[in-house]
Amino acid sequence: MNHPNIEDARRPGQASLVRRARAARLGRRRGGVALSIATVGALILGLLMGAPAAYADDYPSWDDVQAAKANEDATANEVGRIQGLIATLTQNVADTKAAAEAAGNEYFAAQEAVDAQARRLADLQAQADAQKKVADDSASKAGQIAAQLSRDGGDTTALQLFFSKSTANKDQLLQRLGQMDRVLVGTQAIYDKALEAKNTAQSLTDQATAAKTERDRLAKIAEDKMQKAQAAAEAAAAALANQQANLGQLQAQLAALQDTTAKTVAGYQAGEAARAAAEAARQAQLAAERQAAIDAAKNNGGGGGGGGSPSAGSGGWVRPFGGYQSSGYGPRVPDCDASGCSSSFHRGVDLADGSCGSPIYAAHSGNVVYAGWNGGYGNYIKIDNSDGSGLATGYGHILNGGFNVWSGQWVNAGDVIAFAGNTGGSFGCHLHFEVYQWGDTINPISFMEGQGVYMG
């Protein structure tokens, strides 16, 4: 189902988000995250610690406007004040949105580095395991030869084997001596191969250990970037909510002050009340459309083929989206257009149903640890399963304005967390779904099949 205006809807729980952002200005933000990111830290820190943002206590009342109209100088002052507030609201929205996107891009780049290092680690470990197997197999083969030569009498067995009844013919003796020499040469070659493989395996293991240390270091950086990007996203949401809550009234008050023919502001005040009521009705309609989309998806098994959503598997897992699998996990030929190319290694699975605005479901219960912009993923949500398994799930390319949850919120399997879109490095409306184990992506298709959930 398409919802052309759904991007404009304020997300459920936005008021709570604004309250949390305001609390942050007073130093009460949960977790005490420091906002010192190089490219955007000063801007976000200024917003969250109380500097240029204006909040309700700073705005003029209609009584202030009415009083200002009685005096030309007071009117001019109030006009300048309101114009400044409008400009501040607009600039805060633009600045915090840009800061959130920059922070999200830094988070994306940091996670990309982690993923690249994780793939290098996996490759080194696979090579080390293969060389260890060669060493073990060669050692086993050499051991079998040694056991054969030493059976029934130690070193004399070789003499018995090669010289028994051979003295009757000197040619036969020379032939057997040559065979024994070839056996010994072959045994030495096996030994040399085992030793070389063992040394190679150890070298690769050492490299893998170093790669793991580097991956863990990069993962800590990515975690820090994620927290800062989340703070930036919350600051941007707070600025937008503040603008939406106050801009209309400020514009009406400005119009009332600039109208020299009107003696009172009652007409403008009534007009603002009507505008606010109309906006409330629009928001209610958008909320009803979203709920209708959710209900329709549930009633028809997810609104698409390929098993539907939220069809349940085992262990509390459900399919996160309807539709069909449009791209699998692993290496792929990149898709390109004028804006760029997709990745050559796909770390998730793409599910598409041919439309924007379809509901995305939490694949498992857990805590939302991120909800915001994330570079190539566009609008993105990450949920930590919080069950000690090290598992987490990621949901990318969410519709602008399509978040239905926020960071810190607990969700249950099958809850609608967002709506599918075409943000970030996307080539059409769909859900990009990932599964993580201890921070590294794993194949979500085979993993979900193991839980009885199919992505076909």
Side-chain angles (χ1 to χ4, degrees), residues 213-293:
T213 300
E214 177 64 7
R215 183 206 60 183
D216 293 344
R217 185 188 72 84
L218 293 171
K220 289 180 181 179
I221 293 174
E223 177 68 21
D224 181 62
K225 298 287 188 184
M226 183 184 79
Q227 292 179 7
K228 289 173 180 176
Q230 184 61 63
E234 292 181 5
L240 179 61
N242 191 38
Q243 183 194 55
Q244 290 173 335
N246 296 287
L247 183 60
Q249 178 165 303
L250 287 171
Q251 290 171 332
Q253 290 173 333
L254 181 62
L257 286 166
Q258 292 175 327
D259 186 350
T260 59
T261 64
K263 298 301 182 184
T264 70
V265 298
Y268 290 96
Q269 193 171 358
E272 169 56 20
R275 185 205 66 78
E279 175 62 17
R282 189 180 76 87
Q283 295 294 341
Q285 177 62 31
L286 290 171
E289 289 180 5
R290 284 193 170 186
Q291 189 58 50

Side-chain angles (χ1 to χ4, degrees), residues 42-69:
L43 172 64
I44 300 170
L45 187 60
L47 176 67
L48 293 183
M49 296 307 292
Y55 288 94
D57 291 343
D58 303 319
Y59 296 126
S61 68
W62 281 106
D63 288 341
D64 294 334
V65 172
Q66 181 64 60
K69 282 184 69 67

Side-chain angles (χ1 to χ4, degrees), residues 24-356:
R25 298 172 64 230
L26 302 177
R28 301 194 299 269
R29 186 177 181 277
R30 177 176 52 80
V33 177
L35 305 179
S36 57
I37 196 169
T39 56
V40 299
L43 172 64
I44 300 170
L45 187 60
L47 176 67
L48 293 183
M49 296 307 292
Y55 288 94
D57 291 343
D58 303 319
Y59 296 126
S61 68
W62 281 106
D63 288 341
D64 294 334
V65 172
Q66 181 64 60
K69 282 184 69 67
N71 180 279
E72 185 174 336
D73 289 340
T75 297
N77 289 337
E78 197 69 359
V79 165
R81 177 191 175 199
I82 292 176
Q83 287 175 332
L85 289 170
I86 290 174
T88 297
L89 282 174
T90 303
Q91 193 62 47
N92 280 348
V93 170
D95 289 347
T96 54
K97 180 180 179 182
E101 185 168 332
N105 289 341
E106 289 194 19
Y107 168 38
F108 177 76
Q111 190 59 52
E112 287 272 286
V114 175
D115 293 337
Q117 190 66 19
R119 290 197 298 275
R120 180 172 182 270
L121 170 59
D123 183 57
L124 286 169
Q125 192 59 59
Q127 292 182 57
D129 292 343
Q131 287 298 312
K132 186 177 183 301
K133 186 176 186 306
V134 171
D136 290 345
D137 290 348
S138 298
S140 176
K141 186 174 182 180
Q144 291 173 1
I145 294 174
Q148 180 63 40
L149 291 175
S150 64
R151 187 180 296 123
D152 298 329
D155 293 340
T156 60
T157 302
L159 297 177
Q160 296 170 6
L161 176 64
F162 286 95
F163 299 149
S164 176
K165 299 181 181 179
S166 64
T167 54
N169 187 309
K170 292 181 180 180
D171 290 339
Q172 290 180 6
L173 175 60
L174 292 174
Q175 181 182 4
R176 290 180 183 274
L177 284 171
Q179 291 172 345
M180 183 175 184
D181 185 61
R182 286 193 296 273
V183 168
L184 293 175
V185 170
T187 304
Q188 182 65 42
I190 293 171
Y191 169 78
D192 291 343
K193 182 178 181 181
L195 184 61
E196 180 184 6
K198 177 178 179 295
N199 291 337
T200 302
Q202 185 59 56
S203 175
L204 289 166
T205 298
D206 292 343
Q207 293 178 59
T209 300
K212 182 179 184 301
T213 300
E214 177 64 7
R215 183 206 60 183
D216 293 344
R217 185 188 72 84
L218 293 171
K220 289 180 181 179
I221 293 174
E223 177 68 21
D224 181 62
K225 298 287 188 184
M226 183 184 79
Q227 292 179 7
K228 289 173 180 176
Q230 184 61 63
E234 292 181 5
L240 179 61
N242 191 38
Q243 183 194 55
Q244 290 173 335
N246 296 287
L247 183 60
Q249 178 165 303
L250 287 171
Q251 290 171 332
Q253 290 173 333
L254 181 62
L257 286 166
Q258 292 175 327
D259 186 350
T260 59
T261 64
K263 298 301 182 184
T264 70
V265 298
Y268 290 96
Q269 193 171 358
E272 169 56 20
R275 185 205 66 78
E279 175 62 17
R282 189 180 76 87
Q283 295 294 341
Q285 177 62 31
L286 290 171
E289 289 180 5
R290 284 193 170 186
Q291 189 58 50
I294 295 169
D295 294 341
K298 289 180 177 179
N299 291 335
N300 70 10
S309 174
S311 57
S314 60
W317 289 87
V318 302
R319 198 174 196 269
F321 196 68
Y324 62 96
Q325 180 188 140
S326 58
S327 184
Y329 180 84
R332 65 177 179 179
V333 177
D335 288 326
C336 298
D337 64 9
S339 61
C341 296
S342 63
S343 61
S344 59
F345 188 95
H346 196 223
R347 293 189 293 272
V349 58
D350 288 345
L351 301 172
D353 68 357
S355 66
C356 286

Side-chain angles (χ1 to χ4, degrees), residues 351-397:
L351 301 172
D353 68 357
S355 66
C356 286
S358 296
I360 299 169
Y361 304 90
H364 197 275
S365 299
N367 189 54
V368 178
V369 295
Y370 189 82
W373 183 263
N374 186 11
Y377 291 104
N379 295 320
Y380 168 86
I381 288 172
K382 186 174 184 179
I383 299 174
D384 185 341
N385 284 15
S386 304
D387 59 1
S389 64
L391 291 168
T393 49
Y395 310 77
H397 308 313

